Amino acid sequence: MKKYIAIALIAAGTAAFAHSGVKDPDVMNRMMGMSELAKQMKAIGSMAKGQTTFDPEALNAALGKISEEAGYIPSLFENKALDPKSEALPVIWDNFDTFTARATDLEEISGGLVGTIQTSTDLGPAMQQIGKACSACHADFRAK
């Protein structure tokens, strides 16, 4: 679980720096969407690590936002737009069906978790599910 929390925190921390100098509006929109996902993961991760108080309402809002943002991912990548600042790999457009399926997995997993987590103890397994969905996509479609 710590691995998935760390990934989310690193992504959130580097998002602002990564956006500077991006010229393509499609790439900027994608990066903003991914930054929103990272922001929500950071909120959940801070609860999981005990840095913030477990708040079921905030947790469910974050899960819902992750699901919503994941639903937008395929449309954000419809145009094959590349930018030197982008971490998106061109293979996305070669394997767009797989890419889209992974976004759908994240959407369904996070949406399915809304309302199911009653205590902070339940956060670990939830973070693992979401983290695996994120990692599955990043492993093939994002520059390391």
Side-chain angles (χ1 to χ4, degrees), residues 37-93:
L37 287 171
K39 175 183 168 185
Q40 300 306 321
M41 286 296 289
K42 183 178 179 181
I44 296 170
S46 68
M47 283 186 236
K49 291 172 73 175
Q51 295 172 332
T52 58
T53 304
F54 177 75
D55 179 350
E57 188 174 313
L59 172 66
N60 288 323
L63 290 169
K65 189 66 174 171
I66 290 170
S67 182
E68 177 185 353
E69 290 293 326
Y72 298 142
I73 291 172
S75 66
L76 292 172
F77 285 85
E78 283 178 345
N79 295 328
K80 185 178 181 178
L82 299 172
D83 187 283
K85 295 274 186 173
S86 176
E87 295 177 339
L89 295 174
V91 71
I92 288 170
W93 295 277

Side-chain angles (χ1 to χ4, degrees), residues 4-25:
Y4 299 115
I5 293 171
I7 290 169
L9 295 176
I10 290 168
T14 60
F17 178 73
H19 293 176
S20 64
V22 175
K23 294 178 180 29
D24 188 286

Side-chain angles (χ1 to χ4, degrees), residues 3 7 87 89 91-92 99 102 131-144:
K3 171 183 159 188
I7 290 169
E87 295 177 339
L89 295 174
V91 71
I92 288 170
F99 177 78
R102 294 205 180 138
K132 284 181 184 177
C134 292
S135 293
C137 196
H138 287 188
D140 293 331
F141 300 112
R142 180 179 179 213
K144 282 30 171 196

Side-chain angles (χ1 to χ4, degrees), residues 105-123:
D105 287 345
L106 177 60
E107 178 183 15
E108 291 173 355
I109 289 167
S110 55
L113 288 168
V114 173
T116 66
I117 301 170
Q118 304 302 317
T119 68
S120 59
T121 307
D122 300 331
L123 278 175

